[in-house]
Amino acid sequence: MSPRHNRSRRGAGAAQDDRDDRYGGSQRTESWQGEEWYVRLVAGASSPGKRYRCPGCDQEIPGGAPHVVAWPEYGGVDDRRHWHKACWSAKDRRTTRVQRSRNAPKY
């Protein structure tokens, strides 16, 4: 019987790969509104019970739905926003102010 190894045998770069896999996708950088933004695709399975509000359409992203998380390069954790994939793709074609209907929840 061989002894059990408690240390990981993978290289130092494996930590970043594990972080990408845990959140469901790889991270990339995009330029928007004169800033660099980090963009990560989230598979949705990593957040089954959480709900988010998309800043692009002001609609709710249900728990477990695939979506995009974006934040400014020099922003912190509080600056992360969860977007529908289509809303993030259409962000340049949208107006700056989202109009809510009278019956829309205000949160």
Side-chain angles (χ1 to χ4, degrees), residues 86-99:
C87 293
W88 178 255
S89 299
K91 64 190 174 296
D92 293 326
R93 296 188 304 262
R94 295 190 178 275
T95 62
T96 57
R97 184 169 173 229
V98 176
Q99 299 278 331

Side-chain angles (χ1 to χ4, degrees), residues 21-75:
D21 290 341
R22 179 177 44 195
Y23 294 114
S26 61
Q27 184 173 307
R28 65 181 188 270
T29 307
E30 290 185 21
S31 182
W32 182 49
Q33 294 181 339
E35 287 187 83
E36 291 296 316
W37 288 70
Y38 292 119
V39 179
R40 179 177 289 150
L41 297 174
V42 178
S46 61
S47 59
K50 296 180 181 177
R51 293 179 170 196
Y52 304 102
R53 182 152 305 269
C54 175
C57 65
D58 203 35
Q59 298 295 313
E60 194 172 271
I61 301 172
H67 60 280
V68 174
V69 178
W71 64 97
E73 181 180 22
Y74 297 109

